[in-house]
Amino acid sequence: MINIDAHRHVRGESVYLDDIPLVENTLFACVFDSPVAHGMIDHIDISEALNSEGVVSIITAKDIPGENQIGGIVADESLLAEKHVDFQGMPIVLVIALTEELARAAASKIKVSITPLEIVTDARIAYQNGALIIPPKQFKLGDAPSAFASCAHVFEDRVDINGQEHLYIETQGAYCIPMEGGGLKVYSSTQGPTAVQRTVSRVTGIPMHRVEVDVSRIGGGFGGKEDQANAWAALCALGSVVTGKPVKYSLHRAEDMRMTGKRNPYSADYKIGLDKDLKIIAYEVVFFQNAGAAADLSPAVLERTLFHCTNSYFIPNVIATAYCCRTHLPPNTAFRGFGGPQGMFVIESAITNAAEKLNVHPSSIQEKNLIKKGDVFPYGQIAGREAVDTWAYADKYFSFNAIRKEVDEFNSKNLNIKKGVAVMPICFGISFTKTLMNQARALVHVYTDGSVGVSTGAVEMGQGVNTKMLQVAAQVFSLPLDMIKVHTTNTLRIANTSPSAASSTADLNGKATLMACEAILERLKTVALEELNSDGTNTDIEIKNGYVYHKNELTALDWKSLLNAAYTKRISLSEHAHYSTPGIHFDWHTAKGHPFAYHTYGTCVIVVTVDCLRGIYEVDYVKGVHDFGKSMNTSVDYGQIEGGIVQGIGWMTMEEVVYDAKGKLLSNALSTYKIPDIYSVPKIIDVIPLPVTDNNLGIYSSKAVGEPPLLYGIGAYFAIRDAIRAFNPNVSPKFDPPFTPEKVLMSLYSPTKKHSTAEKNDTLQIKT
Amino acid sequence: MTVLDFVRYHRHLKGTKIGCREGDCGACTVLVGELQQDKIHYQTMTCCLMPLSNARGKHIVTIEGINPPDDSLTPVQNAIVEENGTQCGFCTVGFVMSLTCYCLAKNGDTTEEAISAMDGNICRCTGYKSLERAANRITLLMNSHNGLESISFAIEKKIIPPYFSEMPLRLSAIASTNQPPIHHPMIVSGGTDLFVQRPDELKHADFLPVFDTYEMKKIRENDDYIEIGGSVTVTDLYHSPLLQSYFPRLHRHLKLVSSTPIRNMATVAGNLVNASPIGDLTIWFLALDATVVLQNGDLREVALKDFYQGYKIMDKTPDEIVEKIYFRKPSENAYFNFEKVSKRTSLDIATVNTAILLNFEAHVITDVHISAGGVAPIPLYLKNLSSCLSGKTLPFDEKTTQELDYILQSEISPISDVRGSKEYKRLLMRQLFHTHFQHLPYRS
């Protein structure tokens, strides 16, 4: 089934934040943000800006009626800087003016004098300075320190992983309208309507029940609008409270890139020990997470790094430690994968490093160590069989050996073009790692004309969650799709929502929708028995295609008549249902538990071609087997697979976040930060579903598909590395993604290659 | 004001989206129809960079001008829906416009061309594979072309509404009524860089638009020379049969220059006076040893290799317009090549680019011009390397290679920036220099 929004999308009729028709008297906001990454604010001069044309109000921290605080996990982030600035791009002053242009013009006239303080952009330096946001977290399994002693091979190295800009094509923004009685209605481009509501309430002092947050859909989020949409909504709300007028702020791209955080960069040290049969016996890893200037979601991101530090492998002795380091970059935040990809990249680097040193293919180590049914993850949860199954199926369908052979043959025949191959098994735990967040609610109304309205806490951001919610209602009530409407996500209808994140949105909200629909259905079945004068039970009744069936016999009772009968009998046609994932728990004191409803697994093989003259590359294909569970919408799920893979490849290849030593973002526009275009995608993506029969806790036994496919992109890094080593066998590039064309070319011709480079140049000119 | 602000905030046509305001995402792609003789020729443009003055006398088509009135879908829209080519939907309209334009173009009935029509559209979600499949569907439809003229065919297939057939008449009624005013402090052509660098300043600026200056839009042959008007766009170069006859790999080279909608707007003069050290066309013309013709009432000629005097400093007064550029026709067996490497192969600014024009007889180089971008404060004509290459025998022996590498490295002075470290740019320049000699015909 096609995404229900598609029709409106292609006609340009879907409404996003900046498309909402404006209310009379709407004013526009713009912030003046810090040009310095760290310092004390001595003086803020707003005099010239105040006299600027069209300025209605200029607001600083002292004008905030509530709390100047937007930190969620840790209360460490001001909405507007008051005494000190902690990152370049930190909002200091809010300008409200008659038009967007005038607001921008006035903001440019603000002058702030700041006494600079030491700027730290490197997580390791922050760690050395003791700048940790939360105490370190650690996972332990077995006894790693003594296990290393028994290992035949031990390798150590360092890994540095760069961040990633979300680059949702719709920038951040909000639009706040004052309501009667001192309330606010806030339109926000957010993944977390409740987070926005809570933050607005905190900053304005207006209780949550008077703050209505409404989201139709967002133009991409990828985690970037899970927590970081809050500030813009709070600023608009602040502007509305101060001026009494509607206030809108839709960020320009440069503002968005400069002022918002990104995927957390990580640095890590690891030590891996293998026995003579290439079984991984011990693994020790220390992660230094660059959280940026405030906690934001980084502590939770850090946890997921630990949860996924052994990817889909069973390692009997593990000690993994993670430090959440405070630096002077914009606060980093959630991004598809939420720390998991960084954890997995390190173990894959360790395996590849070991393989290179031992002169074997990494896949031989990978395959030997896949986690089997009944094995335990370092955090105590027991694994299923799918890591082994997806590998075996992928190998069967696509034959890794044959691919390897093809690549080797190609390389032996081509001097300046080399192919590389990597296999990437993945494993991703599904549930918020913070157990309490695994709850959702749905509100279903059946109207007397037969139509159905569904509201949930899920935010539609292209992942097709509303389509899946509609499918659930349509299936339970056996109704045509146009009889059902999935409404906007609104905090008046659904309260206390968890953000649309952790790949769990369809599972949680789908289950709640299912429960609500089924509760109404059961009541209707009872009414049907009465209407049909049956002395049977609800199980004798079925509603199919608009008619009631009794003991599998079609009756004359249709859907609408049934509803009206129920209404006449004063039976509720509405239901508000609550779902919480059963059986999950985690104890951070022991760092053990069962945090995930289930795991999503998969195995893909990635082949790339590197042009060794120019240092540029292409991805030939990504092929493999993915564990969809029983997909409830293959169209939507394949979109997630293809999209996730390309986004992951982007992170590993061309997407390079660059800050200078002063914490200034240099990759601050689409002209300097490159994300994949249509020519950057793999020529072939062929991912087939793992045949499954088991049920799981996903909606209709489907499995979450939002984040996991991004992890396949990691394979592109190792495939490029493989190709480079085919050209320059002596080189061992640093493990420091992204593999930009710069790093590729530098590796191809690194000093160890000097002599052969000259040879290459000779041959280069006579090659036909 | 830009066309984008006009359509969204003055006409409230909200289907056209704002993604970046620098022509890099394609969310604001519109069709721009221009009357040529009695026919309309449609191109895509990212209207965030399009000054409203450049819309004068043209047919600007947003998604609202394409949507069938009965809430049905055009074949392009339908293909994208059926192939699941839309996820969050924010970029989608841009893709619809680009694929629709492909259907209106005179040439091109292959999936590759349909895909290339979308080379200026970014989808972050990322539905590219689905969009490729949609492009394939549309190509199949276009292959059923029954010989009808493209606009009529598109109307028959409901790709565009019937009112498009009236547009030539409607445009000719307004085409001659507008005269641009004469005196202005600033000159703007395609605006593809000015509106990125100085959008706020240009919003209400009074400037002289030269994009549509008829005399400056010509590519002419003149005895031994080829003349290219300052307002000729990259797309005009791409489609020029004259240039194709002299530069057989023209298409491949120009595909490395930005994206389709930007190529439709970016002009030769704009590229030259932008004075970027990595301007693709500038590098191209430097290797052709071109001459710039400047005009401010009087005419003046400057060799392009002498035109740049320092970072963004040119031998040009503010009121001088680059009227045209001309260069000697390459001889029949001359070899021309253009190389460019950037972080992303398409739709990106070069890290390093370089061009070469090489003449040789019996493996001996007789005359050569080589240029390099991104390795100095100005687009560089490699004078020393060019003169050293003269008289060298192909292929180079090791000693010659070393000598050439040495001269090359001493002639360039790259700096480290967001596009790469200076060490990388040096290595890349060496590699691209040697790559120039990869496809020399003498090997056959």
Side-chain angles (χ1 to χ4, degrees):
Chain A
M1 180 195 159
I2 302 278
N3 187 322
I4 51 169
D5 271 351
H7 188 94
R8 274 184 296 277
H9 284 348
V10 293
R11 287 177 58 92
E13 292 167 347
S14 299
V15 176
Y16 302 84
L17 182 92
D18 195 41
D19 305 330
I20 296 168
L22 296 182
V23 173
E24 264 181 23
N25 284 327
T26 293
L27 303 174
F28 296 83
C30 181
V31 301
F32 173 85
D33 58 298
S34 177
V36 174
H38 191 205
M40 300 304 293
I41 299 175
D42 301 319
H43 180 64
I44 301 172
D45 178 5
I46 58 168
S47 54
E48 202 190 331
L50 262 178
N51 292 323
S52 189
E53 185 193 348
V55 167
V56 175
S57 182
I58 295 203
I59 299 165
T60 57
K62 63 176 175 13
D63 304 313
I64 293 174
E67 217 184 320
N68 183 16
Q69 182 53 249
I70 59 169
I73 297 175
V74 180
D76 67 348
E77 190 177 358
S78 306
L79 177 66
L80 292 172
E82 194 163 8
K83 296 192 176 75
H84 50 91
V85 289
D86 305 316
F87 63 93
Q88 272 206 34
M90 184 174 187
I92 303 175
V93 184
L94 174 65
V95 176
I96 309 290
L98 294 177
T99 69
E100 184 194 312
E101 197 184 341
L102 294 171
R104 288 167 63 77
S108 70
K109 292 171 186 162
I110 290 168
K111 293 176 197 77
V112 175
S113 58
I114 296 169
T115 302
L117 296 170
E118 187 203 5
I119 295 164
V120 175
T121 59
D122 183 289
R124 285 182 190 255
I125 295 173
Y127 167 76
Q128 283 156 19
N129 293 347
L132 296 185
I133 290 176
I134 52 162
K137 303 236 168 189
Q138 194 170 66
F139 277 5
K140 263 187 190 171
L141 182 68
D143 180 4
S146 47
F148 278 111
S150 67
C151 290
H153 315 285
V154 176
F155 304 98
E156 294 178 63
D157 202 357
R158 167 181 169 151
V159 175
D160 289 280
I161 306 165
N162 205 337
Q164 184 176 25
E165 164 69 45
H166 301 86
L167 226 119
Y168 26 67
I169 306 291
E170 182 202 25
T171 54
Q172 303 265 5
Y175 182 25
C176 179
I177 301 167
M179 305 302 276
E180 63 172 39
L184 297 171
K185 175 159 189 172
V186 182
Y187 296 98
S188 166
S189 179
T190 180
Q191 293 171 244
T194 293
V196 165
Q197 184 193 26
R198 196 183 293 124
T199 309
V200 165
S201 172
R202 192 176 191 179
V203 168
T204 59
I206 298 170
M208 283 171 79
H209 71 163
R210 289 177 191 218
V211 177
E212 174 187 1
V213 177
D214 190 87
V215 188
S216 293
R217 65 173 60 73
I218 63 177
F222 316 113
K225 295 172 182 171
E226 181 175 343
D227 217 43
Q228 300 222 339
N230 300 352
W232 320 110
L235 287 167
C236 289
L238 177 60
S240 281
V241 168
V242 170
T243 63
K245 302 240 170 83
V247 172
K248 181 178 161 181
Y249 193 8
S250 178
L251 271 67
H252 277 219
R253 177 62 60 185
E255 294 175 317
D256 188 304
M257 292 182 85
R258 182 173 78 227
M259 297 196 274
T260 67
K262 310 176 193 318
R263 186 191 290 283
N264 296 85
Y266 275 69
S267 189
D269 294 319
Y270 70 81
K271 187 167 152 187
I272 189 168
L274 302 92
D275 71 12
K276 59 178 178 26
D277 301 321
L278 304 182
K279 272 278 197 192
I280 305 172
I281 301 301
Y283 182 56
E284 183 179 349
V285 59
V286 180
F287 296 102
F288 303 94
Q289 179 202 45
N290 192 331
D296 196 280
L297 293 167
S298 289
V301 171
L302 189 82
E303 291 171 12
R304 200 174 265 278
T305 301
L306 289 177
F307 281 110
H308 296 307
C309 71
T310 55
N311 192 11
S312 1
Y313 308 110
F314 172 66
I315 304 176
N317 302 287
V318 176
I319 179 160
T321 314
Y323 299 102
C324 182
C325 309
R326 192 189 298 277
T327 63
H328 301 107
L329 300 183
N332 288 313
T333 191
F335 195 138
R336 203 174 193 171
F338 207 74
Q342 292 97 320
M344 290 185 202
F345 184 85
V346 178
I347 183 75
E348 293 301 327
S349 297
I351 289 172
T352 299
N353 186 23
E356 287 174 3
K357 299 272 161 59
L358 296 169
N359 206 20
V360 297
H361 291 307
S363 59
S364 55
I365 300 179
Q366 290 172 314
E367 185 178 12
K368 202 157 278 180
N369 290 283
L370 290 172
I371 196 161
K372 297 188 294 293
K373 187 178 167 75
D375 284 344
V376 66
F377 285 101
Y379 48 91
Q381 190 159 340
I382 304 300
R385 49 181 290 158
E386 298 94 329
V388 174
D389 283 359
T390 57
W391 183 289
Y393 274 101
D395 197 6
K396 187 176 134 202
Y397 286 124
F398 301 110
S399 181
F400 298 160
N401 276 338
I403 289 171
R404 181 82 253 173
K405 222 173 129 193
E406 257 170 56
V407 165
D408 289 345
E409 264 170 38
F410 179 93
N411 288 346
S412 68
K413 287 180 191 153
N414 289 278
L415 219 46
N416 291 314
I417 306 173
K418 297 290 182 190
K419 287 189 187 290
V421 57
V423 183
M424 185 67 205
I426 66 157
C427 165
F428 201 78
I430 303 303
S431 285
F432 287 96
T433 56
K434 192 169 184 126
T435 303
L436 77 85
M437 291 172 80
N438 296 288
Q439 54 172 312
R441 280 152 294 279
L443 176 64
V444 177
H445 294 311
V446 180
Y447 294 91
T448 50
D449 68 350
S451 64
V452 176
V454 177
S455 293
T456 74
V459 171
E460 177 60 48
M461 50 187 157
Q463 86 281 44
V465 69
N466 282 356
T467 305
K468 289 183 175 178
M469 297 305 101
L470 189 144
Q471 282 180 272
V472 171
Q475 179 151 338
V476 175
F477 294 129
S478 186
L479 286 176
L481 303 174
D482 60 2
M483 298 272 292
I484 300 158
K485 165 82 181 153
V486 179
H487 291 290
T488 63
T489 316
N490 186 299
T491 56
L492 295 191
R493 269 176 271 125
I494 303 293
N496 308 321
T497 62
S498 292
S500 289
S503 307
S504 309
T505 317
D507 279 357
L508 296 172
N509 292 281
K511 290 269 184 166
T513 304
L514 182 65
M515 288 167 72
C517 294
E518 281 179 341
I520 295 169
L521 185 70
E522 285 309 306
R523 291 200 287 270
L524 288 174
K525 283 182 178 176
T526 308
V527 172
L529 287 171
E530 291 165 19
E531 290 298 297
L532 296 169
N533 297 315
S534 163
D535 52 5
T537 63
N538 277 7
T539 51
D540 296 331
I541 300 289
E542 205 180 347
I543 294 171
K544 270 197 306 197
N545 304 322
Y547 281 90
V548 174
Y549 286 70
H550 181 250
K551 296 187 173 163
N552 295 323
E553 299 265 331
L554 176 65
T555 71
L557 187 58
D558 66 16
W559 171 246
K560 233 162 106 177
S561 307
L562 175 63
L563 295 177
N564 281 289
Y567 181 65
T568 307
K569 288 175 190 289
R570 297 184 290 169
I571 302 295
S572 169
L573 296 175
S574 298
E575 185 74 17
H576 179 266
H578 168 85
Y579 173 76
S580 64
T581 314
I584 54 171
H585 54 88
F586 195 75
D587 179 1
W588 270 107
H589 295 294
T590 57
K592 299 283 177 199
H594 186 99
F596 300 120
Y598 56 88
H599 289 90
T600 292
Y601 297 87
T603 302
C604 278
V605 57
I606 295 100
V607 171
V608 303
T609 304
V610 175
D611 170 345
C612 300
L613 285 174
R614 300 175 180 88
I616 55 180
Y617 44 75
E618 294 174 337
V619 181
D620 296 6
Y621 57 78
V622 178
K623 296 177 179 177
V625 171
H626 183 80
D627 169 24
F628 291 89
K630 298 168 188 164
S631 173
M632 69 177 287
N633 188 322
T634 50
S635 306
V636 165
D637 287 356
Y638 271 104
Q640 292 295 296
I641 291 281
E642 293 182 347
I645 287 173
V646 174
Q647 214 168 56
I649 290 172
W651 175 48
M652 284 287 117
T653 57
M654 68 183 74
E655 294 188 33
E656 188 175 30
V657 178
V658 187
Y659 288 98
D660 69 11
K662 291 186 166 165
K664 181 186 167 130
L665 181 68
L666 300 182
S667 53
N668 59 357
L670 270 76
S671 51
T672 46
Y673 184 79
K674 308 313 285 188
I675 64 169
D677 67 343
I678 200 161
Y679 288 126
S680 313
V681 297
K683 293 195 187 63
I684 299 166
I685 293 180
D686 186 4
V687 176
I688 55 176
L690 178 73
V692 289
T693 49
D694 300 353
N695 290 325
N696 61 52
L697 285 174
I699 178 72
Y700 293 135
S701 283
S702 63
K703 279 195 174 183
V705 73
E707 291 164 291
L710 180 129
L711 305 162
Y712 295 126
I714 293 172
Y717 178 91
F718 293 97
I720 291 171
R721 189 179 172 93
D722 188 50
I724 289 171
R725 284 169 51 85
F727 181 81
N728 184 1
N730 299 322
V731 74
S732 180
K734 283 184 196 162
F735 291 89
D736 62 347
F739 235 144
T740 56
E742 170 164 3
K743 288 181 193 162
V744 170
L745 195 72
M746 298 302 265
S747 301
L748 288 167
Y749 297 94
S750 83
T752 55
K753 184 71 186 170
K754 216 156 208 171
H755 181 64
S756 50
T757 303
E759 285 170 10
K760 280 281 166 339
N761 277 338
D762 293 339
T763 53
L764 176 160
Q765 289 158 35
I766 51 167
K767 204 187 135 244
T768 54
Chain B
M1 188 188 306
T2 61
V3 172
L4 174 61
D5 285 327
F6 180 75
V7 300
R8 272 189 69 81
Y9 300 122
H10 290 255
R11 290 302 169 92
H12 303 287
L13 299 169
K14 298 291 183 76
T16 305
K17 302 298 179 201
I18 303 175
C20 68
R21 288 185 183 270
E22 57 172 327
D24 253 321
C25 78
C28 67
T29 305
V30 295
L31 300 186
V32 179
E34 196 180 350
L35 208 50
Q36 290 175 350
Q37 279 90 42
D38 55 343
K39 285 197 175 138
I40 295 197
H41 175 57
Y42 286 93
Q43 292 185 308
T44 49
M45 294 190 185
T46 49
C47 65
C48 63
L49 300 182
M50 187 179 180
L52 200 52
S53 53
N54 284 1
R56 179 179 282 124
K58 292 176 190 163
H59 181 203
I60 305 296
V61 190
T62 66
I63 190 73
E64 291 85 355
I66 295 228
N67 283 337
D70 58 355
D71 200 39
S72 65
L73 300 179
T74 70
V76 168
Q77 291 170 326
N78 198 52
I80 292 177
V81 169
E82 292 288 322
E83 293 293 350
N84 302 293
T86 171
Q87 291 188 30
C88 85
F90 204 78
C91 69
T92 304
V93 163
F95 280 94
V96 171
M97 300 314 281
S98 294
L99 262 187
T100 301
C101 196
Y102 158 75
C103 298
L104 305 183
K106 298 183 197 94
N107 44 3
D109 288 350
T110 66
T111 305
E112 287 68 38
E113 280 158 311
I115 289 170
S116 111
M118 301 185 285
D119 64 7
N121 296 95
I122 295 291
C123 165
R124 184 53 155 169
C125 281
T126 232
Y128 294 127
K129 298 310 284 183
S130 314
L131 289 158
E132 283 177 7
R133 292 188 284 271
N136 197 36
R137 276 191 188 220
I138 291 303
T139 304
L140 290 176
L141 174 72
M142 294 310 290
N143 283 337
S144 69
H145 207 296
N146 47 11
L148 266 183
E149 179 267 329
S150 57
I151 300 288
S152 309
F153 178 76
I155 291 172
E156 185 189 291
K157 292 292 174 191
K158 300 193 158 130
I159 294 165
I160 47 173
Y163 80 83
F164 271 67
S165 64
E166 304 157 16
M167 290 316 296
L169 259 179
R170 287 167 65 180
L171 282 194
S172 61
I174 55 168
S176 57
T177 57
N178 284 310
Q179 284 295 327
I182 299 155
H183 291 293
H184 293 275
M186 193 190 269
I187 305 155
V188 176
S189 188
T192 55
D193 200 56
L194 280 176
F195 277 86
V196 176
Q197 304 301 335
R198 295 144 73 178
D200 291 340
E201 184 190 334
L202 279 160
K203 205 161 189 176
H204 303 294
D206 186 19
F207 57 76
L208 173 65
V210 295
F211 186 70
D212 290 317
T213 307
Y214 181 69
E215 268 308 299
M216 286 169 61
K217 291 189 85 67
K218 291 193 171 152
I219 303 173
R220 272 186 281 227
E221 207 171 355
N222 181 1
D223 296 329
D224 293 338
Y225 292 89
I226 293 173
E227 270 185 23
I228 297 172
S231 295
V232 166
T233 64
V234 186
T235 300
D236 295 335
L237 297 176
Y238 186 92
H239 290 303
S240 159
L242 177 66
L243 290 179
Q244 279 171 39
S245 69
Y246 284 96
F247 302 97
R249 289 191 294 168
L250 182 77
H251 284 185
R252 211 162 77 187
H253 295 156
L254 292 183
K255 284 266 178 179
L256 294 171
V257 179
S258 197
S259 64
T260 299
I262 301 295
R263 287 194 293 269
N264 292 338
M265 302 162 81
T267 62
V268 169
N271 200 271
L272 297 182
V273 302
N274 187 30
S276 162
I278 36 179
D280 290 323
L281 295 186
T282 310
I283 294 306
W284 220 74
F285 287 119
L286 270 173
L288 294 169
D289 198 19
T291 301
V292 184
V293 179
L294 299 159
Q295 195 258 107
N296 62 350
D298 300 324
L299 286 180
R300 189 166 73 87
E301 297 196 355
V302 188
L304 185 59
K305 60 187 173 195
D306 301 326
F307 190 55
Y308 302 101
Q309 300 170 328
Y311 179 68
K312 298 252 173 189
I313 302 170
M314 285 164 283
D315 179 6
K316 174 185 148 347
T317 60
D319 65 334
E320 280 181 318
I321 292 174
V322 173
E323 189 176 86
K324 63 186 173 194
I325 185 165
Y326 68 86
F327 57 88
R328 187 177 284 277
K329 289 175 186 168
S331 67
E332 206 165 302
N333 55 0
Y335 167 77
F336 181 84
N337 190 40
F338 174 72
E339 291 286 335
K340 169 179 176 176
V341 166
S342 42
K343 220 172 244 179
R344 186 172 67 199
T345 301
S346 305
L347 180 50
D348 197 359
I349 296 167
T351 304
V352 171
N353 51 7
T354 169
I356 190 168
L357 179 68
L358 186 73
N359 285 284
F360 56 94
E361 276 168 33
H363 290 206
V364 177
I365 298 176
T366 54
D367 184 36
V368 61
H369 298 285
I370 180 161
S371 60
V375 292
I378 60 168
L380 207 59
Y381 176 80
L382 293 167
K383 200 172 134 202
N384 298 343
L385 187 64
S386 297
S387 57
C388 178
L389 274 166
S390 201
K392 293 282 188 291
T393 305
L394 292 161
F396 306 134
D397 57 28
E398 198 175 328
K399 188 167 157 275
T400 309
T401 301
Q402 280 174 7
E403 184 193 358
L404 294 171
D405 281 347
Y406 179 79
I407 290 172
L408 170 64
Q409 294 300 331
S410 53
E411 205 168 1
I412 63 176
S413 52
I415 55 163
S416 297
D417 61 17
V418 71
R419 302 191 197 289
S421 67
K422 55 179 188 280
E423 296 80 13
Y424 168 55
K425 289 176 187 176
R426 283 190 178 277
L427 173 62
L428 182 56
M429 186 61 225
R430 183 194 79 172
Q431 289 301 114
L432 295 184
F433 169 61
H434 290 295
T435 306
H436 278 315
F437 299 90
Q438 272 275 293
H439 302 286
L440 277 180
Y442 67 80
R443 276 195 210 96
S444 55

